[in-house]
Amino acid sequence: MTDTYLCADCREGVTRPYSVRALIRTCDNCGEHGRFLHEAVVERLSEIPPEDHPDGWDEMSLDERAEAAVKRGLISVP
């Protein structure tokens, strides 16, 4: 069994044979070094209603969105 993680900048996916919240690595697609979020976390972010999005949501990377959502109590990450 594998889990998928998405680049916080370009959303390119990678799979790994373990499950953690996030990976830190360099993206093969965009070259950015940073977080790859577990696809379940990204799915939770997409379920947040637009009226609950903080200012600048559309300009935020996935990891910035996750951080903002956790701080506001919109999602919890185990």
Side-chain angles (χ1 to χ4, degrees):
M1 182 166 162
T2 61
D3 286 300
T4 301
Y5 301 85
L6 302 176
C7 174
D9 292 304
C10 74
R11 300 183 186 212
E12 180 73 16
V14 297
T15 57
R16 294 291 183 263
Y18 47 81
S19 183
V20 294
R21 264 183 276 180
L23 306 172
I24 304 292
R25 67 182 304 269
T26 300
C27 181
D28 295 333
N29 184 55
C30 71
E32 291 295 320
H33 184 77
R35 284 190 196 167
F36 277 63
L37 297 178
H38 192 282
E39 66 184 345
V41 174
V42 176
E43 185 175 310
R44 283 190 188 143
L45 293 174
S46 69
E47 295 170 355
I48 297 171
E51 60 270 12
D52 292 336
H53 291 177
D55 291 339
W57 182 264
D58 292 333
E59 291 78 36
M60 293 178 182
S61 64
L62 289 177
D63 58 338
E64 292 170 329
R65 287 181 183 184
E67 185 177 332
V70 169
K71 283 182 181 178
R72 290 174 170 252
L74 299 171
I75 63 169
S76 62
V77 181

